Structures are given as structure tokens and as C-alpha cells.
Amino acid sequence: MTDTLETPSAPVIVQERRIVTAIPGPKSQQLHERRRAVVSDGVSSTLPVYIDHAHGAIVVDVDGNQFIDLGAGIGVTTIGHTNDAVVAAATAQLADFTHTLFTITPYESYVRVAELLAEHTPGDHAKKSVLVNSGAEAVENGVKIARKYTGRGGIAVLEHAYHGRTNLTMAMNFKAAPYSTGYGPFAGDVYRAPNSYPFHDGLTGPQAAARTIGYLEKTVGASELACLVVEPIQGEGGFQVPADGYLPALQQWCTDNGIVFIADEIQSGMARTGKYFASEHFGLVPDLVLSAKGIAGGLPLAGVTGRAEIMDASQPGGLGGTFGGNPVAAAAAVAVFEQIESHNLLAEAGRIEGVLKPGLLALQEKHPVIGDVRGIGAMIAIELVQEGTHEPNSAAVTSIAAYAAQNGVILLTAGTYGNVLRFLPSLAISDELLVDALGVIADGFAAL
Ligand SMILES: *Cc1c(COP(=O)(O)O)cnc(C)c1O
């Protein structure tokens, strides 16, 4: 007797924008009513259209509206929604087994993800990994591992950083509202130093690094720090690309002072910027690299990867957790790495930059409210200002994002002052969709 399992095929969606109802449509509005009764108000939704299915760079809501997705679930479906290979790998694993717990009885896909992370994170030293469930959990583990290795307690972070919503990571974030307002007391021993923000500080990389290092040396002292945690390109903070030489100087200072240099590549990693990890653009070889968001095509998975001697300082049983490195998520992650290789997806990020950046720079010529256009690969942002100043203009950001949503483009905001629009499309997005989305955004600026 054959007992075949149907492999659900990915939905066929014509890759085009199509708005057929008011936004949100009637079915979304009904779902929203149900949600309001039972889902905590603490969980918000940027655009309350309820999604029915998705493929590539298009998401389709329950009313049949098709949106160009420039957010990819905040840089998660980096290789596209319902990528066929990821769907097939996860589906096959789902049928084989869904859980044993790696720390009870292990399985190959966890090992394979660790091999791939060792291969594709910067540096050719011996590396090891631990897999966990979320970005914040990766940050927590990175800090734990660094503390155990160094025997020190202090954690250094940068202004405008975002590291998550757990107790420790709330303490590491720059922005209080909405992430940490009212949720204290917070973990201690966290020290926040000025970062490099070329649009605002006008400092060269070495000048900004001297400021960061000087601040940390004065306020805490290098000998007290277990780690410095940096996003090579800040995510929620607004896609600040640090000035040349800034990050290498910080890394050198960490090396000289026995501080573990941790790159939080949760948003900037996994092919997002045209390299596996954005650290490579700056010549960094971090001691530990944190990955999450884009690693498993939308399934929850995260990792800490780093120097073997640092990773091995933890005692057996010190690292882990019930769901960490779940087999279905791990199988999906292996497929994501294979897709990046077999389809040369790193090059797609450059293609996307080649369409977005010139398009946005042309818009900037017409609209002085666009103060800055920045980013690398498929991680591009514009910072909106009060004309003729560097003062934040969050009202303009809100209206452009709303205009885009009404016209079928999902566009995310960012920035400590809410005045940044960020573009995080999947690498599967076509030039045509990008140009179409840029047209909508241009109309939004014209309507300001
Ligand atoms: C999203 C994000 C996190 C937190 O990840 P979660 O999976 O939401 O816990 C941490 N650091 C950076 C840079 C992020 O973008």
C-alpha cells in the first residue's frame, strides 16, 4: 500500500500590484474586529490587511488585493515568499519528524546549518554555532557566551541600536518608546556609546571611532567589558551606514582589549546586502556573528556563530532551549543557503540597489524633504527632514507609507525619530516591480 503525501505546491501569483477594494478591504476589516477582541493591544500591525497567500515579492490579502512587498516581513523572506525549494525542504522535514530536541537526540540538519554558518560568516578561523529561535535570543546568547569566555560583565552597545524585546535586549536598545516604556526594571551593566551617523555627525570614521572608544573608556573602562555589540548597518535605527574606517577601528580596539566583538547581523545578514554578512563590506571579522531574520525563509531560526574557543567556553548544558534549531526550520535554512548559491542571489542585491538608489536619488532632486539616501544592496533607506534642515520629518514618512499602502505597496518605516523609510525587498523582486513601486512612492511625494 502506498501512502503518499501530497506536497502542497506554492500558490501561483502573477507578480503584479492589484488593488480591488478599499484598503483594508471588508474581509480584513471583519478579521480586525475579531482580532481586537482577543489579541493584545500591545501587538500592533503596521497595515491591517490580513494575508491569505504570498509568492515571490507579492502578498495577497483575504480581499484579493495584491501588494508589492518592500518589507519582506522585516527582511525575513529575503529569497522570496514561498520559495519552491524552501517549501519542499520544510514540507519533507515536516513529514519525517518535527521535533526531538537536539540536546536530547540530535539530527543532521542542525549540524549542516552550523557548517554553512561556519563557511559563510567572515573569517577562516575555526567556528562553532548554537541555534536558537529568535533574534533577541541570539543576542542574549551572544552576550552569555562572551561573558562566560571573558569572565567580565559589561555590555557595550551603540546609540540608535535595536537588539530585541526581551529584558536584556530592551536594556540594549536605544529607543525607549514603544519597546521598553513601562517594562522595567531592566538588566544592568549595559553601556551605550555614540555611533557613527554620517548624515548627522559629519565625522570621519576614525573621528567617530575615537569618540565611541573614548566614551566607553571614560564611562566604564575597557577591562570591564565582555563585549561590544554592533549592527554593521543599523536596522530599526534607520539603516545608518557607518563612515569608512569606523567599524574596523572598533574591532581593533576590542581585539586589543580582550573584548568580544559581536556583529548583530540579524537584519543585515543572509545575503541582504549582497554579501552573506554586511561585515564583509567593512572588512570586519567579528568574534561572534548573530543571524536570524532571513536565515530560514520565514521559519523561526537564529544562530550565534563564532570563534571556536569562545563558543566552547560554555559548559555542556549551558546553551540550548526546547525549540532551538527546530528540524523544520533547520531544513528550510539549508535550502535558503542552497538557493543563494545555486541562483547566485548575492548578485541580486546589487541589481536591486542599482534600481532603487538612482530612483530615490532622482526623487531627492525633486523633493528636498528627502535629506539622505543610503544603504547597501537590498537594504536601502531614505531619511526625511524638514526642508533645508536635518530635523526629522516623521509626518512625511507617515503619509508616504500610508499612500503606498493605499496603492498596493508595503513600505516600512524606521529610525529613532520615525523619519526613515526603509526598503527591504526580497531578492526575488523584479526590476519591473521595483520601478512600479518607485512610481507609487513618487506619486506619494508629489501628493505631500
Ligand atoms: C529584528 C532584530 C533583532 C531582534 O530579532 P527578533 O527575532 O525580533 O527577536 C535584533 N537585532 C536586530 C538588528 C534586528 O533587526
Side-chain angles (χ1 to χ4, degrees), residues 145-211:
I145 290 164
R147 283 177 162 168
K148 184 76 185 183
Y149 175 71
T150 58
R152 303 175 185 171
I155 305 165
V157 293
L158 297 178
E159 288 180 354
H160 304 288
Y162 178 81
H163 297 295
R165 283 184 167 90
T166 57
N167 185 267
L168 175 62
T169 55
M170 282 191 292
M172 295 167 67
N173 293 341
F174 181 66
K175 190 173 175 175
Y179 304 125
S180 57
T181 310
Y183 296 132
F186 301 107
D189 235 0
V190 176
Y191 305 92
R192 184 173 296 103
N195 68 337
S196 166
Y197 196 157
F199 179 62
H200 286 285
D201 61 30
L203 299 178
T204 67
Q207 287 168 339
R211 183 174 68 166

Side-chain angles (χ1 to χ4, degrees), residues 220-298:
V220 48
S223 63
E224 305 308 299
L225 288 174
C227 55
L228 168 63
V229 186
V230 300
E231 300 157 82
I233 300 173
Q234 291 184 322
E236 310 303 297
F239 289 18
Q240 293 88 334
V241 181
D244 278 348
Y246 176 72
L247 292 171
L250 294 193
Q251 183 181 330
Q252 188 60 50
W253 176 72
C254 286
T255 304
D256 293 345
N257 290 282
I259 301 163
V260 177
F261 182 80
I262 304 181
D264 178 347
E265 292 254 20
I266 289 166
Q267 195 157 154
S268 58
M270 289 306 298
R272 174 60 48 199
T273 65
K275 307 274 190 194
Y276 269 99
F277 292 93
S279 288
E280 294 171 59
H281 292 291
F282 307 102
L284 303 176
V285 180
D287 297 316
L288 300 181
V289 174
L290 312 179
S291 38
K293 291 194 161 87
I295 194 173

Side-chain angles (χ1 to χ4, degrees), residues 74-79 266-267 269-270 291-298 336 340:
I74 313 201
V76 168
T77 53
T78 304
I79 68 167
I266 289 166
Q267 195 157 154
M270 289 306 298
S291 38
K293 291 194 161 87
I295 194 173
V336 167
I340 293 172

